Amino acid sequence: MGIRGLMSFVEDHINEFFTDLKLRDTKIIIDGYALFHRLCFSSNLELRYGGDYDSFTDVVEKFFESLFACKICPYVVLDGGCDISDKKLNTLKDRAREKIQMAHSLSVGGGGYVCPLLIREVFIQVLIKLRVRFVQCFSEADRDIMTLANHWNCPVLSSDSDFCIFDLKSGFCPLNSFQWRNMNTIKGTRDCYIPAKCFSLDALCCHFGNMNKVLLPLFAVLCGNDHVNLPVVETFLSKVCLPLGAPSSKGRRHHRVLGLLNWLSRFVDPTEALDNVLKHLPKKSRGTVKKLLCGSMGEYLQSQGRLQDFFQHGAYSCPDTWNPGLPPWVLAALARGQLSPFISDALVLRRTILHTQVENMQRPNAHRISLPIRQVIYGLLVNTPPHLGNVAWDALPPQPPAFSEVERINKNIKTSIVDAVELPKDHSDLSKLTELSLARRQILLLETLKVKQSILDPIPAALKLPIAVSCYWVQHTEAKAELHHLQALLLGMLMGPLHAMINGPDEEALQGGGAEMLYEELQRVKAQPGLRLDLDTAHVFCQWQCCLQMGLYLNQLLSTPLPEPDLTRLYSGSLVHGLCRQLLTSASVESLLHVCPEAQQLYEHMFSATRSCAPAELVLPKGKSKKRRQKKRGTPWLENRVGTTLNARSWHEGGNRFELLMVGTLEEHMEAPELE
């Protein structure tokens, strides 16, 4: 949720509404969604290249290390899927449009804030690695956070202005004043604390004539939160004379906040205030408006959920108002973060929202390439209709079962209808999906990704799914992937294994420090700033991430027939884009990898697997790279690079230039017919 203008208003009164805290030796409930956005956007991370997940991982680890050093025990609560009522749909669509505009701004060299596609999944993996307790709610988490914090009498850490409305026993600490990077020590001891500000609801009410705090939920819905369509109350706001109090140079939202709080402070309770609101509205609309406002005010009441049961016993039963009759294993996997909210949205609402990346807005959105994977996911979900009165499942035709997707079309959004794939009968009952053998589940996954099991046999377990996804990606002509894109992507995947080798116990495996030398060289490539974003390259890698995201979700839904990959060091956009530039201008794969035989061998296995699925010919680099690689007119240029690539790049025939990529080892092509 969120109340327009409230956070900036209370921060303008920081000395009146906030107290200083030295936070240590306590539990704290963390709004996970707010935290990973804050860490992503306030840590000077590169956002243009699709995500530097390794850098983000380092920031998250440092954040929790600061908490551990101060004996602060964090409990992270993540939002789940959309509410059954779908009352936030318009807000979500508005945010999707805003995200498209920011992504476009970033793509052309401007500013903006767009989270990388897999940031949530990376965040969860870091929580698991650090053994930070977390839960994923079944819908929006605010009320559950408030209820748990009051049960344990500990503060809440978030950036959501709704926590200025909730009556929290131990207060609300905004993230932007939570100085986790500036730990201090209590004088005369070794005990550390984190300086923080704590919002006081009592201080706010005192400032407005000892206003009754139970009036604040009505203030929230009148001011405009994510659940209320603002035009509904515009008639009231235009007719009532809001007292503004002291003159202010602030904007319209600030005036609205100040005026509403001053106006509400006159009333004893919400009933009296609500009646006064309704009398300014036409009689015919009063009943509807009252129902809407009262329903939205209920969002600030205590939740029926008991997150303490999950954290103490591992069991989390969702409230009756949410439970759509999903299989128990699905509910358990959602609570543990083992299934994405994408899955619950598809299950409960038959609608998903495809998030925009920093991509080429003139091309079809990057998610188009992963549509066949999503159709299989929908096929697995289609035969578990939730018992919801507001979703007309029975009205849908039996064939084909359809889902709607909110996707980017140019610089706007559009809802598209997508048919689910019809799957064999033994896959049609979601409640029994986990009972299928590992072999059957693995076959469905690999058939969807269009890759044979034998191709993946030489690949380490942790990289099997990313390589399978890459095989799917290179087969699609829509991706327009070129050789240097694939090479850069696979080189980037070496960062995880190199990091493990360097930090592992077996120092002999480093063979003279080759792994460390290669790791440092790749870090240097990553650190080199790009002059501008190559939009076509960005789009290609956005498409790969879309494939990886849906491959990951399908793998999770099938109870991981392939091991879940470590996403934290699998893809670094700055590195991969930097490698693309180097491979097109100066470096070769061989020149990079020769210092580390282990990495060279792993790269060869990965390249061989993806090569076996790639088309016979790929579009080659254009421009300067072509001139650099060209030998004498009419003579093929042969280059044996690590990754077993051989290129016959340029020759002339009938005055026209042709380009061909032959993939294989030099030895394989020694007997090849001569090109004339």
Side-chain angles (χ1 to χ4, degrees), residues 139-166:
S139 57
E140 197 164 36
D142 290 0
R143 293 172 64 200
D144 291 297
I145 290 173
M146 179 264 290
T147 305
L148 180 62
N150 282 342
H151 178 79
W152 281 342
N153 197 18
C154 64
V156 167
L157 183 63
S158 178
S159 56
D160 192 331
S161 55
D162 277 310
F163 289 104
C164 295
I165 304 299
F166 289 120

Side-chain angles (χ1 to χ4, degrees), residues 199-240:
F199 174 76
S200 170
L201 189 65
D202 290 335
L204 173 70
C205 291
C206 182
H207 182 80
F208 289 95
N210 292 318
M211 180 171 60
N212 188 345
K213 64 178 67 175
V214 298
L215 287 162
L216 289 175
L218 179 58
F219 156 76
V221 298
L222 290 176
C223 197
N225 67 7
D226 291 347
H227 289 160
V228 175
N229 188 12
L230 197 56
V232 170
V233 294
E234 285 297 333
T235 302
F236 156 72
L237 293 171
S238 65
K239 291 185 177 181
V240 69

Side-chain angles (χ1 to χ4, degrees), residues 444-504:
L444 176 59
L445 175 66
L446 295 182
E447 285 183 347
T448 302
L449 298 178
K450 302 178 182 179
V451 61
K452 296 179 180 178
Q453 172 64 55
S454 58
I455 291 173
L456 300 178
D457 286 343
I459 307 298
L463 291 173
K464 286 184 186 294
L465 182 61
I467 293 302
V469 164
S470 300
C471 290
Y472 173 93
W473 171 69
V474 297
Q475 292 179 68
H476 279 259
T477 55
E478 186 178 351
K480 298 183 180 178
E482 301 180 17
L483 176 62
H484 65 286
H485 295 139
L486 177 59
Q487 290 173 325
L489 183 66
L490 298 180
L491 286 169
M493 287 186 195
L494 296 175
M495 289 296 278
L498 288 170
H499 186 268
M501 290 166 63
I502 293 167
N503 295 281

Side-chain angles (χ1 to χ4, degrees), residues 623-635:
K624 294 182 180 179
S625 61
K626 184 189 300 181
K627 295 178 182 178
R628 178 180 66 82
R629 291 170 177 144
Q630 185 178 354
K631 286 281 186 176
K632 291 187 298 181
R633 184 185 179 108
T635 304

Side-chain angles (χ1 to χ4, degrees), residues 231-236 239 274 277-293:
V232 170
V233 294
E234 285 297 333
T235 302
F236 156 72
K239 291 185 177 181
L274 184 57
V277 170
L278 295 175
K279 77 178 186 182
H280 290 87
L281 304 179
K283 289 184 178 180
K284 62 180 180 179
S285 63
R286 290 177 186 175
T288 302
V289 172
K290 183 176 181 179
K291 184 178 179 181
L292 172 64
L293 295 180

Side-chain angles (χ1 to χ4, degrees), residues 19 48 77 115 186-187 209 222 231 256 258 276 279 288 317 347 410 427 460 478 482 501 531 575 600 613 635 668 676:
T19 56
R48 293 179 300 160
V77 183
C115 268
I186 296 176
K187 190 173 182 179
L222 290 176
R256 172 170 287 184
L258 181 60
N276 202 282
K279 77 178 186 182
T288 302
S317 58
L347 264 172
N410 297 321
H427 294 81
E478 186 178 351
E482 301 180 17
M501 290 166 63
L531 298 178
L575 170 62
Q600 178 176 326
C613 297
T635 304
E668 289 172 357
E676 296 180 340

